Structure formats: structure tokens, C-alpha cells
Amino acid sequence: MRVDLHMHTEYSVDAASPQSVADKVRACVDAGLDIIGITDHLDFFRTRGPSENRDVEACLRDIRAAKQAFAGEIEVLVGIEIGEPHADPAADAFIRGHELDMVIGSLHAMPNDLDIYFHDYANLDCDAFLHEYFDQVLEMEAHGG
């Protein structure tokens, strides 16, 4: 059985565009996958709004439509990758308010809301950063969701 439970479409800022949900699912069928989980990003922050998030409601509608359209060819799971679910109570409200097959919790931004991709690693105390990062991972895990 061939499975991939973490993939993005054009609804995530870090994915190629155009890359519709239907095109992604068709590519997965053509590649011989049996089960996929489409888990586009929905990031939450502590001090600013979710400016990078794309239309999550449209994304979920497109995933549900693909799940139905490709039934019998591939199993499509309706998912979401929630960044920093412990940072904002709105993350819990989102999860409770949507029918999802799967949720991935991720840690893209530290408490200063700076994405870890953009930290100045050449001038950073990497040991201290990693300790703080893993403290945040544990906090996120304890939060659940």
C-alpha cells in the first residue's frame, strides 16, 4: 500500500502554483498511491493575524469534492496542517468546527512569530534556539488538538 499523508496544494504558500487539489489527486492516482492526506497550511500566531493563510474553507471544499470525484481510484483524506495550534484559541475552535479526517500540528514560528526559516542562524545561539524550539514542541504536544 502506498500512502502519503502530508501534501500541499496551491492553498499553501510554500507549494507551487498553480497546483489545484484535483490536479494533485490526479497526479497521485497516476503515481499509484492508494491513500493520500491533503494537509494545506493554516498557521496561527501569538502577536499577529494569519496573513499567510489562503482560503482554507475553499481548500476544504475542494478536498471534499476530490474525495468524492476520485472515490474508487484513491482514498483522499480531508486534512489540515495547523501551525502553532497552542498559540491561539482560534485553532481549537477551527478544529471543533470542521469535519476533518486528520490534523497535523506543526511548529513553524517561535513565540516571536518569526518563521524558523527566517532566523539569522549565523548569529544565533543554536543550542539555546533548539532548547526553546523543543520546549515549544512539547507545549504544542501537551496542548493537543
Side-chain angles (χ1 to χ4, degrees), residues 13 18 29 128:
V13 296
V29 168

Side-chain angles (χ1 to χ4, degrees), residues 54-75:
R54 297 194 175 159
D55 189 345
V56 67
E57 298 299 336
C59 177
L60 294 175
R61 281 192 303 274
D62 287 355
I63 299 169
R64 287 187 187 95
K67 179 177 189 150
Q68 194 169 38
F70 289 91
E73 293 182 78
I74 190 170
E75 183 176 353

Side-chain angles (χ1 to χ4, degrees), residues 1-115:
M1 179 175 292
R2 297 179 72 193
V3 178
D4 186 336
L5 298 179
H6 184 184
M7 58 180 58
H8 303 307
T9 71
E10 63 193 0
Y11 285 107
S12 290
V13 296
D14 61 351
S17 185
Q19 189 178 121
S20 72
V21 170
D23 289 344
K24 174 71 84 172
V25 175
R26 171 54 56 208
C28 291
V29 168
D30 293 346
L33 274 73
D34 300 296
I35 303 171
I36 60 169
I38 298 181
T39 54
D40 281 295
H41 289 283
L42 177 60
D43 291 314
F44 289 88
F45 301 97
R46 293 165 182 85
T47 60
R48 62 185 173 93
S51 61
E52 288 97 20
N53 294 327
R54 297 194 175 159
D55 189 345
V56 67
E57 298 299 336
C59 177
L60 294 175
R61 281 192 303 274
D62 287 355
I63 299 169
R64 287 187 187 95
K67 179 177 189 150
Q68 194 169 38
F70 289 91
E73 293 182 78
I74 190 170
E75 183 176 353
V76 178
L77 302 179
V78 179
I80 197 83
E81 179 180 348
I82 295 189
E84 301 76 47
H86 60 299
D88 185 337
D92 291 328
F94 178 86
I95 293 168
R96 284 191 308 275
H98 292 81
E99 279 191 46
L100 300 164
D101 297 318
M102 61 180 295
V103 175
I104 295 173
S106 60
L107 183 65
H108 298 129
M110 298 299 281
N112 63 0
D113 283 338
L114 181 62
D115 190 299

